[in-house]
Amino acid sequence: MTDFEKVTSFENLYQSFLNVKSGRTHRLETIRFEQNLAYNLKQLQIQLLSGEYQMMPYYHFVLHEPKTRDVYAARFVDKLVMNVICEQVLIPRLEPHLIEDNVACRKGKGVHYGIRRFTEFLRRGYRKHGQELYVLKCDISKFFASVPHDVLLEKVAKRVKDARVMDLLVLLLKSYDSISETPGIGIPLGNNTSQWFALYYLSSLDHFVKEQLQVKGYIRYMDDFLLLHHDKGFLWECFMEIERIVTGDLRLRLNPKTNIFPVKHGVEFLGWKFFLLQNGKIKRQLKLQSKKRYKKAMGTLMTDYARGTKDLHKVKQILASHHGHLIHGHAYLLEARALKQLVLRRYTDFE
């Protein structure tokens, strides 16, 4: 079965419907699509096979946490198409070529895996060099909005050989041109395909750092990456090589805040600040912004419960989710104080 046949298989389209439906059960778009599910899936299959499939306009909204950014969300049926492409083609074709320490949005990895992995790097470094370690901390300036389509498609085409699937990927990328200030550049934040494009686009840089520069203490989460080494001069050399690749081959720009500094000053990564202590222990504290977001979330939780927009079951789920994240660092006192101040009352209780 070809990749395109996998994408257009009715069974795979149905499975992708189930995947996309999860967490969106009560949305109007989902309900309408499911009301005539077999017919809608068959029509989508016909459109894909005939080449008549076209993406609908994006929803647009603005996120203000952790920083202000525009998000363009695809319609339900387009999410379904992206999901089947990712599950049937992009993941099987791209995943084997990613390094272990490319940790975002992959099965068995993610934020908590990244926290554990960087902690492991710090412990290894301490055993050999004590506290005399340095970090090169980099990120790409406006990464998602800056990825050039031609370079991305050239990279993906080396792994995805089915021309009809590539035509669909071109269609998905071109759909962003209508909302982009610079057509041919940028991938929409929020698309399932964009996550895999982002994982793979910088993969050549990952391999260069690991294999050519031979930096063992390297980790990347999307466009944020760290290099850990005992030689500050060597890291400056790495920086110059990385900048050459990023600005040349990848046609992107490093954030001006890119810097090299001692680990003992603390390293911010994945919402935490890592401290390597003199005795070799590693302390993880929530970043100031993360603390503020957590406290704000707890206040919002009390308000939502008071208004009746969240019930006790949902409150417990949210608290469990926060706890599951906070246990990855030294945030016991922060959580204890927040829970002590958490008062759950309905507005009617005050009447």
Side-chain angles (χ1 to χ4, degrees), residues 197-245:
F197 289 153
L199 285 170
Y200 188 67
Y201 191 77
L202 297 178
S203 184
S204 58
L205 178 63
D206 298 338
H207 284 281
F208 177 79
V209 174
K210 284 284 193 180
E211 297 160 14
Q212 301 299 317
L213 299 178
Q214 297 187 346
V215 178
K216 295 181 179 179
Y218 170 81
I219 187 168
R220 175 166 72 89
Y221 190 96
M222 282 303 178
D223 63 315
D224 293 324
F225 51 98
L226 302 176
L227 285 74
L228 180 69
H229 203 269
H230 67 279
D231 188 337
K232 187 176 182 180
F234 173 71
L235 287 180
W236 276 115
E237 293 174 8
C238 291
F239 167 71
M240 289 186 286
E241 288 295 315
I242 289 170
E243 188 174 42
R244 177 182 62 81
I245 292 174

Side-chain angles (χ1 to χ4, degrees), residues 97-135:
H97 302 281
L98 304 179
I99 66 168
E100 179 183 357
D101 296 315
N102 179 352
V103 300
C105 304
R106 296 165 64 192
K107 187 175 181 180
K109 300 190 186 296
V111 171
H112 297 152
Y113 175 87
I115 291 170
R116 293 194 300 271
R117 188 67 172 160
F118 184 61
T119 300
E120 182 183 338
F121 288 161
L122 289 173
R123 286 183 178 138
R124 287 180 188 174
Y126 180 83
R127 285 197 291 268
K128 290 185 177 181
H129 306 287
Q131 276 189 303
E132 297 306 309
L133 295 169
Y134 295 88
V135 164

Side-chain angles (χ1 to χ4, degrees), residues 144-168:
F144 279 83
S146 303
V147 173
H149 295 176
D150 57 340
V151 180
L152 172 62
L153 289 169
E154 182 181 350
K155 287 179 174 292
V156 174
K158 292 178 181 178
R159 308 299 176 195
V160 179
K161 302 297 185 180
D162 193 313
R164 298 191 72 180
V165 174
M166 287 302 300
D167 287 342
L168 281 174

Side-chain angles (χ1 to χ4, degrees), residues 203-295:
S203 184
S204 58
L205 178 63
D206 298 338
H207 284 281
F208 177 79
V209 174
K210 284 284 193 180
E211 297 160 14
Q212 301 299 317
L213 299 178
Q214 297 187 346
V215 178
K216 295 181 179 179
Y218 170 81
I219 187 168
R220 175 166 72 89
Y221 190 96
M222 282 303 178
D223 63 315
D224 293 324
F225 51 98
L226 302 176
L227 285 74
L228 180 69
H229 203 269
H230 67 279
D231 188 337
K232 187 176 182 180
F234 173 71
L235 287 180
W236 276 115
E237 293 174 8
C238 291
F239 167 71
M240 289 186 286
E241 288 295 315
I242 289 170
E243 188 174 42
R244 177 182 62 81
I245 292 174
V246 169
T247 57
D249 299 344
L250 300 176
R251 286 171 29 198
L252 298 169
R253 289 187 304 108
L254 289 175
N255 191 312
K257 294 181 181 179
T258 295
N259 194 17
I260 298 173
F261 54 90
V263 164
K264 57 188 174 184
H265 290 174
V267 183
E268 292 187 353
F269 188 54
L270 301 176
W272 295 87
K273 193 163 186 177
F274 295 72
F275 293 94
L276 179 58
L277 306 182
Q278 286 185 337
N279 59 5
K281 290 185 178 181
I282 296 157
K283 186 175 182 179
R284 293 188 291 265
Q285 293 181 340
L286 272 182
K287 288 170 54 178
L288 181 59
Q289 287 181 330
S290 299
K291 287 182 181 179
K292 289 179 179 178
R293 286 199 298 273
Y294 174 62
K295 292 176 181 178

Side-chain angles (χ1 to χ4, degrees), residues 167-215:
D167 287 342
L168 281 174
L169 294 179
V170 170
L171 178 67
L172 295 177
L173 286 174
K174 282 187 175 180
S175 70
Y176 189 62
D177 285 350
S178 61
I179 53 180
S180 174
E181 295 179 358
T182 51
I185 296 178
I187 51 179
L189 187 67
N191 284 359
N192 197 4
T193 47
S194 294
Q195 293 178 0
W196 280 93
F197 289 153
L199 285 170
Y200 188 67
Y201 191 77
L202 297 178
S203 184
S204 58
L205 178 63
D206 298 338
H207 284 281
F208 177 79
V209 174
K210 284 284 193 180
E211 297 160 14
Q212 301 299 317
L213 299 178
Q214 297 187 346
V215 178

Side-chain angles (χ1 to χ4, degrees), residues 1-14 16 41-42 44-51 53 80-81 84-85 88-89 162 164-165 168:
M1 184 181 286
T2 67
D3 284 345
F4 186 72
E5 288 171 341
K6 293 175 184 176
V7 167
T8 55
S9 158
F10 189 89
E11 291 77 9
N12 290 338
L13 288 173
Y14 175 68
S16 284
L41 286 176
K42 189 63 181 178
L44 177 58
Q45 183 187 41
I46 291 170
Q47 289 175 4
L48 289 168
L49 288 169
S50 65
Y53 167 75
L80 193 158
V81 172
V84 74
I85 291 174
Q88 301 301 322
V89 181
D162 193 313
R164 298 191 72 180
V165 174
L168 281 174

